Each structure stands twice: as C-alpha cells, then as structure tokens.
Amino acid sequence: MKAIVATDQAAEAAGITLAVRPEPTPAINDVVVEVHASGFVPAEWEWPSTWVDRSGHDRAPAIIGHEFAGVVTSLGYGTTGLSPGQRVFGITDWHRDGTLAEYVAVEARNLAPLPGAVDFTVGASLPISGLTAWQGLFQHGRLQAGQSVLAHGAAARSDRW
C-alpha cells in the first residue's frame, strides 16, 4: 500500500515521503480500515511517539496522521460491534502507524460508526478537535451533569460570507 512516512525529525516537512509499506493485518481487537479521508497535525513532528515506540525503539520511517474516516475491511480476533463494509471514523494510538495511508490497523475501541449523512472528510476532521473539546469541558473544566456551558463566539452571520 502507499503511505506518507516521516523519515527525519529535524527535516520536518522535507523529511516526509511517499513510500510503499505492507498492508496492515489486524491484531486481537483490531480493525483494518480502508482510509477515505485522513488528518495530520503539524505538531506530530514534536511528539516523541512519532519517532519511538513505547519501548523506546526507533519507529522511523513512521506513517504519520492520526484521525481518519473510512470503511472496515477486516476484523481481528475478538473484535465485536463492527463489521466489514461499515463506515467508521476514529483516531489511532500515537505509538502505532498512522492514517496517511491506504489502510490502517486500529483498536476497535477507538472507532465509532460514521452516520450515512456525514461525508468522510467531515468525519476525519472530528476526532482530535472533538477530543480536545471534550478534555477542555470534562477534564480541565470539570463539567458535571446538570451544568450548562455557553459557547460564546461560536456562530457566524451568513450575510457576511
């Protein structure tokens, strides 16, 4: 499969290239997804997990990108709740190969069904920004059931577009 890989941390954007990599196989509780849309956060150059795995071993060249939307192609042993052909969106573990590829293996718990009315590009744009908003509200803001939130400045007037 084709994938965008990071080869040199110091080179930043100049250190990425298109490469041919093996198609992933699903581990226990994994799902392989054919990627239809994917996102990349430029800060990934600075994340240690882009360059080393959990054991500290070098990962370069590493497939970059972590949020995506696509269609399930296969399930790993023990995976439940998803099926081949299903539209999904989600986020990959930082220490695993990412989503700027034709296929990605991801833990099933990091996926959600993508409603039919939502296109793949919109679905791929949600995971990191949605997780950031959730963390802001619930972890940092300590929002509790019954409380209200005012999202100030979150609307635009259509007559100004």
Side-chain angles (χ1 to χ4, degrees):
M1 74 170 175
K2 294 178 185 171
I4 303 294
V5 297
T7 59
D8 181 357
Q9 184 175 12
E12 294 187 352
I16 64 172
T17 187
L18 180 64
V20 175
R21 296 287 294 266
E23 192 173 314
T25 56
I28 294 172
N29 295 319
D30 267 3
V31 175
V32 173
V33 176
E34 179 181 19
V35 178
H36 286 238
S38 175
F40 168 73
V41 178
E44 287 183 39
W45 298 120
E46 301 164 14
W47 299 347
S49 59
T50 299
W51 306 103
V52 296
D53 64 18
R54 283 190 171 82
S55 300
H57 297 112
D58 184 27
R59 291 188 59 229
I63 299 174
I64 55 179
H66 291 286
E67 54 189 347
F68 70 100
V71 175
V72 174
T73 60
S74 61
L75 306 174
Y77 179 80
T79 303
T80 60
L82 297 166
S83 58
Q86 185 174 5
R87 293 165 35 98
V88 294
F89 72 108
I91 193 165
T92 61
D93 182 295
W94 299 147
H95 292 277
R96 294 178 71 171
D97 275 337
T99 62
L100 294 182
E102 294 178 294
Y103 296 89
V104 64
V106 60
E107 291 175 88
R109 68 185 180 143
N110 292 335
L111 295 173
L114 182 66
V118 178
D119 71 30
F120 290 113
T121 304
V122 171
S125 71
L126 297 173
I128 291 177
S129 57
L131 180 59
T132 301
W134 184 90
Q135 288 171 328
L137 291 170
F138 295 100
Q139 289 183 335
H140 303 293
R142 296 183 180 88
L143 184 65
Q144 300 293 318
Q147 292 181 315
S148 298
V149 174
L150 170 64
H152 184 34
R157 289 177 39 186
S158 61
D159 64 333
R160 294 192 178 204
W161 295 348

